[in-house]
């Protein structure tokens, strides 16, 4: 992904007496590299005066459709293909008052610009030359005997032993150290493209590490795009304030459970920062084609010692090798980002400077404002009948979400959760933090492949030294209706509010019960043994824990 597109303002009419700022529309990124069938970009707009705005998209064939409405907001366009798309912000639905416009271009990997291909080739050769130079210098300087004062034309004819094997290892070690200095420190991480997968993870984890403590009981929420679209921190804080809770959102689209583990290690190294951590589980899929994405996303969080554990989270050997190398030579995971930086250095600087605004937009996000009421799906034929109010862009996004994953991809997703959620539990085995394991709503169409899988198959033999709180698998069944979704997997604004209300209510109730239970146990033990300390966790042998386990 490249940097944010340059805004193209246009003359437009603001409401008289209400001018609060210039109307604006941006695309992030503005130049989309289409890997596979489609790519995506995020469109953000603001009329500047609070009046209603209408965003239309026009493709290269001249067809225009309504993309979004509202005074301000942002929406992802996941259907970008090769070509150009003009996104225009109007002050009316008749397209008479143009406020601002931005152009998005899609380029397939094979159709990259000659300049980008040239820079990419130069970058590869530069790395090769650097490696050769480092190895040669190491071989030359570490040889025995008097140091030569002139450049040797035939070093191999020297009577002195050069210890080629030893010096080769020294050269490789020097190259690894150079990679470590550049990529394993904040030197390069601080200038990662904020709109890239690695950049977004780096930004949100860095912001959370630097965030001062609120003084309340903080509850951290993890998850992928289903939780990112479904959980609202604003709604959660309103409901949890009475119980003294503060919710922290660390969800990130396209992330997987092993990435959550490393995110937790980054923001909570002592494993004692949060009162509770919400970990979602549910049916999903992990295609092997997404291995480079997963490696890139976790790269800012990896350490040298993670090479074997992180690589084990990949199904195929190419993915495992890529993951292993990302831990040792982290620069290998940043190749595309480095090329993008060399091609668009000014755009990268501007994009990094917009990081605070991007974090504010993330916190203010309220969800998508349309639903699937009137849309039907036939699982036998794959035919979709759309509701008439949906735009063509919305229909394309829905079609894309209905692509059926293979059974092996879903099985692999389940195996990842079985392996890495217990690791999260074990990491907090000696912490007072409560681990809340919650299901996620499965979707509006029960006919989709995999929805018949029982949730208890995720953790058939969960054994851990630390107890945990689990919400019943039926908790969110009431949300599995078209009115609460904007595609086959993600909740809309209405579903987002209902999901958050239910989740927070359940979490507050269970945390309160756990605290009461621990308090009762503490009083009993103090009566029997005055020197005993208080217990703040739910014992595995308790009846309530047994009920939770039976639910899984």
């Amino acid at each position: 992904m490249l940097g944010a597109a340059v805004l193209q303002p246009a003359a437009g009419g603001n409401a008289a007496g209400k001018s609060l700022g210039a109307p604006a529309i941006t695309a992030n990124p503005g130049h989309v590299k289409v890997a596979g069938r489609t790519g995506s970009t995020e469109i953000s707009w603001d009329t500047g005066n609070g009046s209603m705005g209408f965003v239309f998209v026009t493709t290269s064939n001249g067809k225009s459709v309504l993309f979004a409405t509202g005074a301000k907001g942002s929406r992802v366009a996941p259907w970008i293909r090769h070509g150009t798309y003009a996104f225009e912000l109007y002050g009316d639905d008749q397209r008479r008052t143009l406020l601002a416009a931005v152009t998005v271009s899609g380029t397939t990997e094979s159709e990259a610009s000659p300049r980008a291909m040239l820079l990419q080739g130069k970058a590869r050769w530069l790395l090769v030359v650097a490696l050769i130079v480092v190895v040669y210098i190491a071989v030359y300087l570490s040889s025995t005997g008097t140091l030569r004062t002139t450049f040797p034309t035939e070093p191999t004819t020297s009577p002195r032993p050069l210890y080629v094997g030893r010096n080769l290892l020294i050269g490789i070690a020097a190259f690894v150290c150079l990679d470590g200095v550049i990529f394993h420190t904040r030197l390069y991480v601080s200038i990662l493209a904020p709109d890239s997968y690695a950049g977004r993870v780096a930004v949100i984890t860095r912001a959370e590490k630097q965030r001062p403590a609120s003084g309340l009981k903080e509850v951290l929420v993890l998850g992928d795009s289903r939780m990112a679209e479904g959980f609202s921190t604003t709604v959660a804080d309103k409901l949890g304030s009475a119980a003294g809770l503060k919710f922290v959102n660390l969800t990130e689209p396209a992330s997987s459970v092993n990435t959550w583990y490393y995110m937790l290690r980054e923001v909570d190294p002592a494993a004692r920062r949060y009162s509770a951590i919400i970990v979602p589980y549910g049916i999903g899929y992990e295609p092997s084609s997404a291995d480079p994405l997963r490696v890139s996303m976790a790269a800012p969080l990896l350490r040298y010692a993670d090479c074997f554990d992180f690589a084990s989270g990949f199904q195929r050997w190419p993915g495992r090798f890529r993951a292993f190398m990302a831990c040792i030579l982290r620069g290998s995971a940043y190749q595309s980002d480095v090329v993008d930086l060399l091609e668009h250095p000014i755009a990268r600087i501007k994009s990094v400077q917009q990081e605070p605004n991007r974090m504010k937009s993330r916190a203010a996000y309220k969800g998508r404002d349309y639903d699937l009421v009137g849309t039907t799906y036939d699982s036998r034929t794959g035919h979709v009948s759309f509701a008439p109010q949906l735009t063509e862009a919305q229909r394309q996004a829905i079609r894309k979400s209905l692509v059926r994953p293979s059974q092996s991809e879903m099985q692999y997703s389940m195996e990842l959760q079985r392996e890495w959620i217990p690791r999260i539990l074990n990491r907090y085995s000696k912490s007072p933090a409560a681990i809340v394991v919650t299901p996620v709503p499965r979707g509006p169409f029960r006919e989709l492949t995999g929805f018949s899988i029982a949730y208890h198959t995720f953790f058939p033999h969960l054994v851990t030294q630390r107890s945990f709180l689990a919400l019943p698998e039926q908790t969110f069944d009431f949300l599995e209706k078209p009115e609460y979704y904007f595609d086959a997997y993600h909740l809309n604004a209405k579903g987002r509010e209902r999901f958050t209300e239910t989740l927070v209510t359940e979490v507050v109730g269970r945390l309160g019960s756990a605290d009461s239970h621990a308090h009762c146990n503490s009083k009993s033990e103090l009566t029997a043994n005055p020197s005993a300390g208080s217990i703040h966790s739910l014992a595995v042998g308790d009846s309530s824990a047994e009920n939770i386990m039976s639910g899984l």
Side-chain angles (χ1 to χ4, degrees), residues 492-526:
N492 59 16
K494 184 178 179 181
R496 177 186 179 92
E497 185 172 357
R498 294 292 304 277
F499 172 78
T500 304
E501 291 173 349
T502 304
L503 177 61
V504 172
T505 300
E506 293 285 342
V507 169
V508 169
R510 279 165 172 73
L511 289 179
S513 298
D515 289 342
S516 300
H517 188 84
H519 181 67
C520 292
N521 280 353
S522 176
K523 292 180 65 176
S524 299
E525 291 195 9
L526 285 173

Side-chain angles (χ1 to χ4, degrees), residues 281-284 413-414 417-418 453-460 552:
Y281 70 94
I283 296 168
S413 174
M414 293 172 61
Q417 295 177 68
R418 288 173 182 158
I453 299 176
Y455 275 162
H456 70 267
T457 61
F458 282 97
F459 313 110
L552 294 178

Side-chain angles (χ1 to χ4, degrees), residues 9 30 37 100 107 137 141 183 188 193 264 296 315 324-325 339 357 416 523:
R37 296 171 57 188
T107 305
I137 292 176
L141 295 181
F183 297 109
Y188 190 82
L264 279 173
S296 175
Q315 189 175 20
F324 182 89
M325 292 304 298
V339 172
N357 294 333
L416 271 182
K523 292 180 65 176

Side-chain angles (χ1 to χ4, degrees), residues 143-183:
S143 59
T144 60
T146 305
L147 186 66
R148 292 175 247 190
T149 57
T150 60
F151 190 87
T153 57
E154 296 181 355
T156 56
T157 62
S158 171
R160 299 172 298 169
L162 292 180
Y163 303 104
V164 175
R166 181 198 67 182
N167 296 335
L168 181 62
L169 292 177
I170 293 175
I172 294 174
F175 188 75
V176 172
C177 291
L178 182 63
D179 176 89
V181 171
I182 298 175
F183 297 109

Side-chain angles (χ1 to χ4, degrees), residues 449-471:
T449 302
F451 281 176
S452 60
I453 299 176
Y455 275 162
H456 70 267
T457 61
F458 282 97
F459 313 110
H461 306 293
L462 184 58
V463 178
T464 178
Q465 299 175 353
R466 173 78 165 94
S467 62
F468 64 99
L469 307 177
L471 305 190

